[in-house]
Amino acid sequence: MPQEELEFGEPEFLGWLLLTRLKNQSDDQISRSKFLKLCCIADRRLIESQGYEVGLPRYWYMYGELANEHEFSGRFYNAPHAIGWDGQQYIPKDLSFESFDLSEAGQEVIPEAVNWTVRNFGRESVEQIKQHQYEEYAENEFIHQYSELRWLLNTIDLGKQDRLAKYEVGGESNEEYLKRQLDEMMAVYPGDEDRYGEVKSVYFRWDDTVRLMIDQSMEYSRIAEFLDAFISVLSKTVLRFVYSQNISGERLSDWKRDAKKEREEFTKTLGSMRSKLLKRRSRSTELDSVSDAYSQAVNEKIKNISHQE
């Protein structure tokens, strides 16, 4: 096939071959998240082991790295609805090597990286793949810290205020432990970097709001949701810009518009949440004062009765 007629390049070849190898390994459905994450792992393997770059568009987003499928040239897969869970399953189209514009080196090294990825991660769950990405590829300690806190909040029984026994230190309470985790996150926040600096004030207000939630013994599930909400905004305003490669100018422009909207909406949500928590704390303080006054009056009456006797 003449080169000018080829629809797909090496990034597409990496993705197509990955799907093909995964399907050959197992009949399990391949989710979007798993496919896009494994593309990134294969690309990193290719660069680290062979020093070869195919130009895969990828970026860090919330819970790990993703390939940006919108940057792929054409579709080399089908993505029908998954069976048994929400979302799509990814199935490679019936193509051959000749459908892709490949260099001689690419024909040799891309399959090696893909085979390594499928062999090591093909049977892993998405959560296990996320964990690998956090441990190996997270760009700074702040990402490690928020992922650790999220993992903690999502592995306890969120229906109960269980003791965080695994992290018990000298009888430390849940509240003390969670606040210590927040302190550690705060200590490593990279606010001196431009994009991180732009959302520093939002992060500080979020941190203070979470501490109010902890003080008021709010369910861990609510705290976990609020952490996810912040990570979502951080991803859309910072992470996917700072930690990305081969993203088109058009896509970056879309992201910038989206980032402004997300930040404004979250700021409003944050303000509303803080107001509710502060009012609740104020009412609680007033009730404590009334309770103290009542207890004091009861004690005075008891003393008077004792004296009369």
Side-chain angles (χ1 to χ4, degrees):
M1 182 181 293
Q3 182 171 332
E4 61 270 21
E5 295 182 12
L6 294 178
E7 182 181 3
F8 306 117
E10 290 187 333
E12 291 78 19
F13 178 64
L14 183 149
W16 171 80
L17 189 61
L18 176 67
L19 287 175
T20 301
R21 295 288 190 263
L22 288 171
K23 277 297 179 185
N24 291 339
Q25 182 187 69
S26 170
D27 290 331
D28 292 344
Q29 298 176 90
I30 304 167
S31 69
R32 177 179 183 273
S33 182
K34 184 169 185 174
F35 166 56
L36 297 180
K37 288 180 178 299
L38 290 185
C39 280
C40 295
I41 290 177
D43 187 49
R44 283 182 177 270
R45 173 68 179 181
L46 189 59
I47 294 171
E48 292 167 2
S49 65
Q50 301 293 337
Y52 191 88
E53 297 193 31
V54 300
L56 182 78
R58 51 181 167 88
Y59 61 99
W60 195 274
Y61 191 78
M62 292 197 62
Y63 313 124
E65 196 172 35
L66 295 170
N68 187 358
E69 63 181 321
H70 301 291
E71 302 279 357
F72 283 134
S73 174
R75 289 192 172 272
F76 51 87
Y77 56 83
N78 293 313
H81 289 296
I83 301 172
W85 41 271
D86 293 335
Q88 297 167 285
Q89 58 171 312
Y90 280 60
I91 303 170
K93 287 186 176 180
D94 187 15
L95 302 172
S96 65
F97 277 45
E98 287 72 26
S99 302
F100 301 88
D101 183 10
L102 305 173
S103 68
E104 290 186 10
Q107 293 181 47
E108 179 179 349
V109 297
I110 295 174
E112 291 177 1
V114 168
N115 291 341
W116 178 89
T117 302
V118 173
R119 185 169 61 251
N120 286 278
F121 299 98
R123 299 186 187 278
E124 300 283 278
S125 69
V126 172
E127 287 302 319
Q128 290 171 317
I129 295 169
K130 288 178 185 177
Q131 190 65 26
H132 171 78
Q133 289 184 314
Y134 276 125
E135 292 173 356
E136 297 296 326
Y137 308 134
E139 296 285 349
N140 59 47
E141 185 59 26
F142 183 72
I143 293 175
H144 279 290
Q145 288 292 338
Y146 82 59
S147 64
E148 176 71 12
L149 179 58
R150 180 179 180 270
W151 177 85
L152 168 70
L153 291 170
N154 283 278
T155 51
I156 60 176
D157 183 352
L158 295 179
K160 304 175 183 177
Q161 295 296 76
D162 287 343
R163 181 77 185 95
L164 307 180
K166 182 177 179 180
Y167 294 89
E168 185 173 350
V169 178
E172 184 178 43
S173 69
N174 289 354
E175 292 76 13
E176 290 169 338
Y177 173 71
L178 290 174
K179 287 182 178 180
R180 181 162 60 83
Q181 288 290 98
L182 292 171
D183 289 341
E184 292 176 4
M185 282 177 59
M186 181 70 73
V188 295
Y189 184 78
D192 55 336
E193 298 180 18
D194 288 344
R195 281 199 171 271
Y196 277 99
E198 291 175 7
V199 297
K200 189 173 184 178
S201 62
V202 174
Y203 168 58
F204 282 6
R205 286 196 296 272
W206 172 85
D207 174 88
D208 188 57
T209 304
V210 174
R211 292 173 192 270
L212 287 172
M213 296 171 77
I214 294 171
D215 287 341
Q216 297 182 24
S217 300
M218 195 161 286
E219 295 89 347
Y220 296 147
S221 58
R222 296 284 301 280
I223 297 174
E225 289 171 3
F226 200 51
L227 173 62
D228 280 357
F230 170 70
I231 297 173
S232 175
V233 173
L234 183 73
S235 298
K236 293 177 180 178
T237 58
V238 177
L239 301 184
R240 64 181 177 180
F241 292 98
V242 177
Y243 311 121
S244 63
Q245 66 173 30
N246 301 311
I247 304 298
S248 69
E250 181 181 1
R251 182 61 53 186
L252 289 172
S253 294
D254 290 341
W255 285 357
K256 287 178 182 177
R257 287 191 293 271
D258 188 32
K260 182 179 179 181
K261 179 182 177 182
E262 289 292 326
R263 182 177 174 181
E264 290 174 351
E265 290 181 354
F266 184 70
T267 300
K268 292 178 182 177
T269 300
L270 185 57
S272 176
M273 173 69 80
R274 285 180 56 78
S275 295
K276 291 177 182 178
L277 291 168
L278 290 171
K279 286 180 181 178
R280 184 181 299 175
R281 185 173 69 175
S282 177
R283 287 196 299 270
S284 176
T285 302
E286 291 171 2
L287 289 173
D288 288 342
S289 298
V290 172
S291 177
D292 290 342
Y294 176 76
S295 296
Q296 185 175 353
V298 170
N299 288 333
E300 289 295 332
K301 286 184 179 181
I302 292 173
K303 287 181 181 180
N304 291 335
I305 292 173
S306 297
H307 289 319
Q308 289 174 6
E309 293 177 346

